[in-house]
Amino acid sequence: FRLENSRKPEQLMEVLSFLLQWLAVPEQASLRRAFTVWFNRVLFPSGTGKETMPRLEELTEVRTMLAETVVEWKGEWKREGRKEGREEGRKEGEANILLKLLELKFGPLSEEDQSKIQAADSETLLTWGEHILTANSLGEIFRS
């Protein structure tokens, strides 16, 4: 349960150290093998679209593999976070520009129109932005 509920890599390493110590005795060979299989299938599955992970032959290899994998995970999480942040920032900027242009052309916008713009996706914002050039009213902006 502690393995599955570990939320941070450090917690996972702590549980793994405890597990390795507990399973070190010869009487735990079958359970040690069961955990090795579990790690291969759940924590380090192959066919994830990335480099093929080497198969674990012995549970003691997990510590090294996990340490290397945690570094990769942290890098992936950081890249994904940056990408999401850039996308959110870009969309927010697009919405702010559209709001400013609409206010300059049509005056203050209602809360409803502001909310509609803030909730729109980038493609919709671009379409509405193109309508600014030809629209004579705010209603014409939001046409499809």
Side-chain angles (χ1 to χ4, degrees):
F1 292 116
R2 288 176 59 197
L3 272 173
E4 290 180 344
N5 291 317
S6 297
R7 298 288 177 235
K8 297 180 180 178
E10 297 79 19
Q11 290 174 319
L12 194 56
M13 291 297 280
E14 181 183 321
V15 173
L16 178 61
S17 292
F18 174 78
L19 183 64
L20 289 171
Q21 184 179 13
W22 181 60
L23 296 174
V25 295
E27 298 85 35
Q28 299 291 3
S30 66
L31 191 53
R32 196 168 47 248
R33 180 71 192 137
F35 271 103
T36 302
V37 170
W38 182 85
F39 274 100
N40 276 325
R41 290 184 182 164
V42 177
L43 200 57
F44 304 118
S46 58
T48 57
K50 302 190 184 214
E51 294 179 17
T52 304
M53 298 289 285
R55 303 276 308 156
L56 294 173
E57 298 300 325
E58 180 57 43
L59 191 59
T60 55
E61 298 171 337
V62 171
R63 183 177 293 153
T64 304
M65 187 177 284
L66 187 58
E68 294 168 1
T69 304
V70 164
V71 170
E72 292 174 24
W73 287 345
K74 286 182 178 180
E76 286 178 32
W77 296 336
K78 200 178 270 188
R79 284 187 294 278
E80 288 173 11
R82 285 181 183 149
K83 181 181 176 189
E84 288 176 13
R86 282 192 301 270
E87 289 171 3
E88 287 177 24
R90 188 176 301 120
K91 187 205 163 282
E92 187 177 313
E94 292 168 350
N96 287 339
I97 289 170
L98 181 60
L99 284 167
K100 183 67 175 172
L101 291 173
L102 290 173
E103 287 176 351
L104 287 170
K105 186 163 184 173
F106 300 112
L109 303 178
S110 69
E111 291 284 328
E112 181 181 337
D113 289 334
Q114 290 179 31
S115 295
K116 184 188 300 187
I117 291 167
Q118 294 294 345
D121 61 38
S122 289
E123 188 175 319
T124 302
L125 292 171
L126 180 61
T127 300
W128 290 344
E130 291 170 350
H131 293 169
I132 289 175
L133 297 174
T134 58
N136 293 317
S137 69
L138 193 56
E140 291 179 26
I141 296 291
F142 300 121
R143 73 181 191 278
S144 297

mmCIF file of all heavy atoms in Angstrom, residues 43-61:
data_model
loop_
_atom_site.group_PDB
_atom_site.id
_atom_site.type_symbol
_atom_site.label_atom_id
_atom_site.label_comp_id
_atom_site.label_asym_id
_atom_site.label_seq_id
_atom_site.Cartn_x
_atom_site.Cartn_y
_atom_site.Cartn_z
ATOM 1 N N LEU A 43 5.522 -0.360 -12.551
ATOM 2 C CA LEU A 43 6.335 0.846 -12.408
ATOM 3 C C LEU A 43 7.229 1.089 -13.617
ATOM 4 O O LEU A 43 7.437 2.225 -14.019
ATOM 5 C CB LEU A 43 7.183 0.754 -11.140
ATOM 6 C CG LEU A 43 7.712 2.066 -10.592
ATOM 7 C CD1 LEU A 43 6.569 3.027 -10.300
ATOM 8 C CD2 LEU A 43 8.523 1.833 -9.344
ATOM 9 N N PHE A 44 7.750 0.018 -14.207
ATOM 10 C CA PHE A 44 8.643 0.146 -15.348
ATOM 11 C C PHE A 44 8.119 -0.636 -16.554
ATOM 12 O O PHE A 44 8.822 -1.467 -17.105
ATOM 13 C CB PHE A 44 10.047 -0.372 -15.001
ATOM 14 C CG PHE A 44 10.672 0.282 -13.811
ATOM 15 C CD1 PHE A 44 11.001 -0.468 -12.698
ATOM 16 C CD2 PHE A 44 10.932 1.636 -13.803
ATOM 17 C CE1 PHE A 44 11.590 0.127 -11.597
ATOM 18 C CE2 PHE A 44 11.518 2.239 -12.706
ATOM 19 C CZ PHE A 44 11.843 1.482 -11.593
ATOM 20 N N PRO A 45 6.902 -0.388 -16.988
ATOM 21 C CA PRO A 45 6.376 -1.171 -18.118
ATOM 22 C C PRO A 45 7.101 -0.807 -19.405
ATOM 23 O O PRO A 45 7.489 0.333 -19.607
ATOM 24 C CB PRO A 45 4.907 -0.771 -18.187
ATOM 25 C CG PRO A 45 4.870 0.593 -17.606
ATOM 26 C CD PRO A 45 5.948 0.625 -16.549
ATOM 27 N N SER A 46 7.253 -1.781 -20.266
ATOM 28 C CA SER A 46 7.818 -1.493 -21.584
ATOM 29 C C SER A 46 6.658 -1.138 -22.504
ATOM 30 O O SER A 46 5.503 -1.340 -22.174
ATOM 31 C CB SER A 46 8.589 -2.701 -22.110
ATOM 32 O OG SER A 46 7.736 -3.820 -22.177
ATOM 33 N N GLY A 47 6.976 -0.608 -23.656
ATOM 34 C CA GLY A 47 5.928 -0.247 -24.611
ATOM 35 C C GLY A 47 5.242 1.049 -24.259
ATOM 36 O O GLY A 47 4.115 1.282 -24.628
ATOM 37 N N THR A 48 5.933 1.940 -23.521
ATOM 38 C CA THR A 48 5.336 3.222 -23.165
ATOM 39 C C THR A 48 5.622 4.281 -24.213
ATOM 40 O O THR A 48 5.307 5.435 -24.021
ATOM 41 C CB THR A 48 5.875 3.707 -21.799
ATOM 42 O OG1 THR A 48 7.308 3.793 -21.884
ATOM 43 C CG2 THR A 48 5.465 2.793 -20.677
ATOM 44 N N GLY A 49 6.256 3.859 -25.327
ATOM 45 C CA GLY A 49 6.571 4.826 -26.367
ATOM 46 C C GLY A 49 7.926 5.461 -26.163
ATOM 47 O O GLY A 49 8.386 6.236 -26.973
ATOM 48 N N LYS A 50 8.583 5.163 -25.081
ATOM 49 C CA LYS A 50 9.905 5.697 -24.816
ATOM 50 C C LYS A 50 10.896 4.571 -25.003
ATOM 51 O O LYS A 50 10.554 3.475 -25.392
ATOM 52 C CB LYS A 50 9.959 6.243 -23.394
ATOM 53 C CG LYS A 50 8.903 7.301 -23.199
ATOM 54 C CD LYS A 50 9.097 7.996 -21.920
ATOM 55 C CE LYS A 50 7.946 8.928 -21.790
ATOM 56 N NZ LYS A 50 7.813 10.000 -21.325
ATOM 57 N N GLU A 51 12.148 4.868 -24.680
ATOM 58 C CA GLU A 51 13.143 3.816 -24.759
ATOM 59 C C GLU A 51 12.655 2.608 -23.973
ATOM 60 O O GLU A 51 12.040 2.742 -22.933
ATOM 61 C CB GLU A 51 14.458 4.295 -24.144
ATOM 62 C CG GLU A 51 15.127 5.416 -24.883
ATOM 63 C CD GLU A 51 16.405 5.833 -24.187
ATOM 64 O OE1 GLU A 51 16.925 5.081 -23.344
ATOM 65 O OE2 GLU A 51 16.874 6.919 -24.498
ATOM 66 N N THR A 52 12.961 1.441 -24.486
ATOM 67 C CA THR A 52 12.548 0.234 -23.794
ATOM 68 C C THR A 52 13.318 0.124 -22.493
ATOM 69 O O THR A 52 14.544 0.201 -22.471
ATOM 70 C CB THR A 52 12.817 -1.003 -24.666
ATOM 71 O OG1 THR A 52 12.150 -0.823 -25.910
ATOM 72 C CG2 THR A 52 12.338 -2.254 -23.997
ATOM 73 N N MET A 53 12.581 -0.026 -21.419
ATOM 74 C CA MET A 53 13.203 -0.156 -20.108
ATOM 75 C C MET A 53 13.760 -1.567 -19.982
ATOM 76 O O MET A 53 13.102 -2.524 -20.370
ATOM 77 C CB MET A 53 12.163 0.077 -18.996
ATOM 78 C CG MET A 53 11.558 1.458 -18.994
ATOM 79 S SD MET A 53 12.700 2.718 -18.476
ATOM 80 C CE MET A 53 12.754 2.412 -16.734
ATOM 81 N N PRO A 54 14.974 -1.704 -19.440
ATOM 82 C CA PRO A 54 15.489 -3.054 -19.237
ATOM 83 C C PRO A 54 14.652 -3.793 -18.207
ATOM 84 O O PRO A 54 14.132 -3.199 -17.269
ATOM 85 C CB PRO A 54 16.917 -2.820 -18.730
ATOM 86 C CG PRO A 54 17.004 -1.393 -18.351
ATOM 87 C CD PRO A 54 15.867 -0.672 -19.003
ATOM 88 N N ARG A 55 14.503 -5.075 -18.402
ATOM 89 C CA ARG A 55 13.732 -5.891 -17.468
ATOM 90 C C ARG A 55 14.548 -6.115 -16.212
ATOM 91 O O ARG A 55 15.747 -6.357 -16.270
ATOM 92 C CB ARG A 55 13.395 -7.244 -18.094
ATOM 93 C CG ARG A 55 12.655 -7.171 -19.391
ATOM 94 C CD ARG A 55 11.177 -7.023 -19.318
ATOM 95 N NE ARG A 55 10.534 -7.994 -18.484
ATOM 96 C CZ ARG A 55 9.361 -7.786 -17.911
ATOM 97 N NH1 ARG A 55 8.735 -6.647 -18.107
ATOM 98 N NH2 ARG A 55 8.798 -8.691 -17.161
ATOM 99 N N LEU A 56 13.883 -6.053 -15.093
ATOM 100 C CA LEU A 56 14.535 -6.357 -13.823
ATOM 101 C C LEU A 56 14.619 -7.860 -13.662
ATOM 102 O O LEU A 56 13.658 -8.573 -13.924
ATOM 103 C CB LEU A 56 13.714 -5.798 -12.651
ATOM 104 C CG LEU A 56 13.594 -4.290 -12.547
ATOM 105 C CD1 LEU A 56 12.609 -3.939 -11.448
ATOM 106 C CD2 LEU A 56 14.926 -3.661 -12.279
ATOM 107 N N GLU A 57 15.764 -8.325 -13.251
ATOM 108 C CA GLU A 57 15.920 -9.745 -12.966
ATOM 109 C C GLU A 57 15.856 -9.998 -11.469
ATOM 110 O O GLU A 57 15.462 -11.061 -11.030
ATOM 111 C CB GLU A 57 17.251 -10.259 -13.532
ATOM 112 C CG GLU A 57 17.348 -10.146 -15.040
ATOM 113 C CD GLU A 57 16.259 -10.936 -15.762
ATOM 114 O OE1 GLU A 57 15.876 -12.019 -15.282
ATOM 115 O OE2 GLU A 57 15.791 -10.451 -16.813
ATOM 116 N N GLU A 58 16.239 -8.983 -10.710
ATOM 117 C CA GLU A 58 16.275 -9.127 -9.251
ATOM 118 C C GLU A 58 15.792 -7.820 -8.635
ATOM 119 O O GLU A 58 16.073 -6.733 -9.150
ATOM 120 C CB GLU A 58 17.704 -9.448 -8.793
ATOM 121 C CG GLU A 58 17.876 -9.619 -7.303
ATOM 122 C CD GLU A 58 16.990 -10.704 -6.687
ATOM 123 O OE1 GLU A 58 16.859 -11.796 -7.258
ATOM 124 O OE2 GLU A 58 16.421 -10.432 -5.612
ATOM 125 N N LEU A 59 15.075 -7.921 -7.547
ATOM 126 C CA LEU A 59 14.480 -6.750 -6.904
ATOM 127 C C LEU A 59 15.532 -5.722 -6.493
ATOM 128 O O LEU A 59 15.270 -4.530 -6.508
ATOM 129 C CB LEU A 59 13.654 -7.188 -5.688
ATOM 130 C CG LEU A 59 12.753 -6.126 -5.067
ATOM 131 C CD1 LEU A 59 11.747 -5.607 -6.081
ATOM 132 C CD2 LEU A 59 12.032 -6.681 -3.858
ATOM 133 N N THR A 60 16.716 -6.140 -6.176
ATOM 134 C CA THR A 60 17.754 -5.195 -5.749
ATOM 135 C C THR A 60 18.133 -4.223 -6.869
ATOM 136 O O THR A 60 18.664 -3.151 -6.591
ATOM 137 C CB THR A 60 19.014 -5.951 -5.270
ATOM 138 O OG1 THR A 60 19.436 -6.838 -6.313
ATOM 139 C CG2 THR A 60 18.735 -6.722 -4.000
ATOM 140 N N GLU A 61 17.850 -4.565 -8.118
ATOM 141 C CA GLU A 61 18.133 -3.667 -9.236
ATOM 142 C C GLU A 61 17.177 -2.479 -9.277
ATOM 143 O O GLU A 61 17.449 -1.484 -9.938
ATOM 144 C CB GLU A 61 18.006 -4.428 -10.566
ATOM 145 C CG GLU A 61 18.962 -5.572 -10.731
ATOM 146 C CD GLU A 61 18.643 -6.409 -11.963
ATOM 147 O OE1 GLU A 61 17.487 -6.389 -12.428
ATOM 148 O OE2 GLU A 61 19.557 -7.074 -12.454
#
